[in-house]
Amino acid sequence: MNKRLESLDALRGFDLILLVVFEEFLWKLKPAVNASWFDTLMLNFTHKDWQGFSFWDLVMPLFMFMSGVTIPFSLAKYRTHSNRRSVYLRLVRRFILLWLLGMVCQGNLLGLDPQRIYLFSNTLQAIAVGYLFTAIIFLNTRIGSQVAIAVILLLAYWGAMEWITFDGYGGGDYTPKRNLAEIIDRVVLGRFRDGAVMVDGAVVFAEHYNYTWILSSLNFVVTVMTGLFAGTIIKSTQSQRKKLLLLFGIGVAMVAVGWLMDDIQPVVKRIWTSSMVLVSSGYCFLLTWLFYYWIDCRGHCRRLTFLKIYGMNSITAYVVSLVINFSSVSHSILHGLEPYTGAYYPAIIALSNAAIVFVILLLMYRNKIFLRV
């Protein structure tokens, strides 16, 4: 398949717009609206505190899933090469760059304060891990082995969480403070875990922070691998009808199995449980089915260029929106509106910040500047 997968660009753009535009704008708008119906709406733009899954919990898994979709298109030609040194070097370089960008986006690396530098705490780093291992698996195995590996990783995570105990943690405990993934992060990352500080020579962990990364990396790989499976289906020579049936059917099955597992292993995004992987990847399959059907199959893409503008420079959009604060520019231009807009002014500033990012991406798109990692 030589034609560019436009639905993937649009879906990636959809995900980035949620992050770059809607997140800050809606939260700034909430106090001004101050209505119960808006509070209900905002539940969809709020991460679950622990067990369960909200619409907003899909943003990170979708970003990771789409990195897997690209693998059959970008790496298939290397599977027949006997000497893969160049592609492995490229994968390692991508891993390092994503890791460093993740540390920049995390917010403390550019502060140059050694006490506030944390090693593993960002979506880009989860993608780095998932993409690296998924790409290596793709280059060296066939689809049957890839599915088997994904299942083994899901079971390995579940088994570890269920039966391994350490210092009173684990052994089937899925509470925020006593699960196995929590203690592994504390032991391995120590002072370099997000939010941790040194007090009188001892590491003190942030009470509010319960995201995990080390053991969860097993399932980071699976999330990217599910994207690989979707990409493999789309790239195959099967009819469009068969591809759509597979994408839809697999998506529904994964969502159903994931929620059925909730009683065995709860759906918890913060520790990336196996049931959460199935639920989130199932939803990702269904979104891929919808976008692929509407854009690549039906050809409805004329009014979706704005999604492609975000999607074709997704890493740039993500990094720029998190690292650069455009509020001073927005305030300089729009400060005269403040007396007239009252409580809505912060939302206007948030929308202005998003507009500046969009202009940057639009200029890059029109000049065919697409930054890749």
Side-chain angles (χ1 to χ4, degrees):
M1 181 181 291
N2 296 319
K3 183 181 176 182
R4 185 174 182 89
L5 192 61
E6 292 191 80
S7 59
L8 180 62
D9 291 329
L11 183 55
R12 194 186 288 117
F14 168 75
D15 201 29
L16 265 295
I17 283 176
L18 291 175
L19 272 174
V20 175
V21 181
F22 282 96
E23 182 178 27
E24 184 179 5
F25 171 68
L26 288 177
W27 280 107
K28 296 294 186 183
L29 188 61
K30 184 176 181 290
V33 175
N34 192 26
S36 59
W37 66 266
F38 199 84
D39 293 341
T40 302
L41 171 68
M42 290 307 296
L43 293 176
N44 296 300
F45 291 88
T46 305
H47 292 299
K48 287 288 185 181
D49 290 336
W50 192 247
Q51 189 172 351
F53 198 82
S54 71
F55 170 74
W56 200 245
D57 286 324
L58 186 60
V59 172
M60 178 178 172
L62 181 58
F63 206 180
M64 297 171 65
F65 178 92
M66 289 185 292
S67 73
V69 175
T70 65
I71 290 176
F73 296 92
S74 60
L75 297 182
K77 61 185 178 182
Y78 297 104
R79 298 183 71 178
T80 57
H81 288 200
S82 56
N83 183 3
R84 297 176 183 155
R85 182 173 180 272
S86 62
V87 70
Y88 287 139
L89 287 175
R90 197 176 94 190
L91 291 174
V92 170
R93 185 193 69 176
R94 177 185 173 91
F95 175 86
I96 293 172
L97 286 175
L98 282 173
W99 198 277
L100 291 175
L101 285 174
M103 292 182 72
V104 169
C105 291
Q106 189 270 340
N108 290 298
L109 183 62
L110 297 181
L112 305 179
D113 181 358
Q115 296 301 314
R116 298 291 177 179
I117 292 178
Y118 306 115
L119 292 180
F120 197 175
S121 60
N122 184 266
T123 300
L124 294 181
Q125 294 167 331
I127 293 175
V129 172
Y131 187 91
L132 175 65
F133 286 99
T134 299
I136 292 172
I137 292 167
F138 172 76
L139 290 170
N140 293 281
T141 63
R142 296 182 181 275
I143 185 64
S145 298
Q146 294 163 17
V147 173
I149 291 170
V151 171
I152 289 169
L153 290 175
L154 286 172
L155 293 175
Y157 178 95
W158 172 70
M161 293 288 285
E162 283 289 324
W163 295 307
I164 295 177
T165 60
F166 180 80
D167 198 24
Y169 289 76
D173 192 327
Y174 290 98
T175 60
K177 297 301 181 185
R178 306 304 300 179
N179 66 83
L180 181 68
E182 172 74 18
I183 188 59
I184 289 177
D185 269 30
R186 291 189 177 201
V187 170
V188 175
L189 295 175
R191 209 287 299 155
F192 295 100
R193 188 185 188 195
D194 200 358
V197 294
M198 296 295 296
V199 178
D200 296 329
V203 180
V204 177
F205 296 100
E207 285 296 320
H208 68 277
Y209 191 83
N210 49 29
Y211 290 91
T212 62
W213 302 89
I214 304 300
L215 184 61
S216 299
S217 290
L218 292 174
N219 280 342
F220 292 160
V221 176
V222 180
T223 297
V224 179
M225 289 187 74
T226 58
L228 164 66
F229 301 147
T232 299
I233 291 170
I234 294 172
K235 191 176 185 294
S236 71
T237 56
Q238 299 176 94
S239 67
Q240 285 187 338
R241 182 175 182 275
K242 182 67 176 295
K243 293 176 185 179
L244 290 168
L245 285 173
L246 283 171
L247 290 171
F248 184 81
I250 292 172
V252 170
M254 292 180 76
V255 171
V257 172
W259 282 118
L260 286 172
M261 283 182 61
D262 189 45
D263 289 334
I264 302 170
Q265 182 178 77
V267 174
V268 183
K269 175 183 174 288
R270 290 174 184 257
I271 57 175
W272 221 265
T273 57
S274 297
S275 55
M276 192 285 300
V277 171
L278 292 173
V279 168
S280 61
S281 291
Y283 290 142
C284 291
F285 259 93
L286 293 175
L287 280 172
T288 302
W289 163 78
L290 177 62
F291 275 66
Y292 179 65
Y293 166 74
W294 189 250
I295 296 173
D296 289 306
C297 296
R298 296 293 303 273
H300 297 300
C301 56
R302 287 181 56 191
R303 294 180 176 85
L304 299 177
T305 301
F306 73 100
L307 292 178
K308 293 173 62 178
I309 289 170
Y310 282 95
M312 294 180 73
N313 265 309
S314 57
I315 298 295
T316 303
Y318 181 78
V319 173
V320 168
S321 64
L322 288 180
V323 173
I324 303 177
N325 187 344
F326 293 102
S327 294
S328 59
V329 177
S330 298
H331 281 297
S332 298
I333 297 172
L334 302 174
H335 69 277
L337 292 176
E338 187 171 7
Y340 305 101
T341 55
Y344 288 93
Y345 181 69
I348 293 172
I349 293 299
L351 203 57
S352 173
N353 294 342
I356 293 172
V357 174
F358 179 77
V359 169
I360 294 171
L361 297 175
L362 177 62
L363 291 173
M364 294 176 70
Y365 179 83
R366 288 182 172 175
N367 288 281
K368 301 186 185 304
I369 301 172
F370 305 112
L371 300 184
R372 301 284 186 262
V373 176

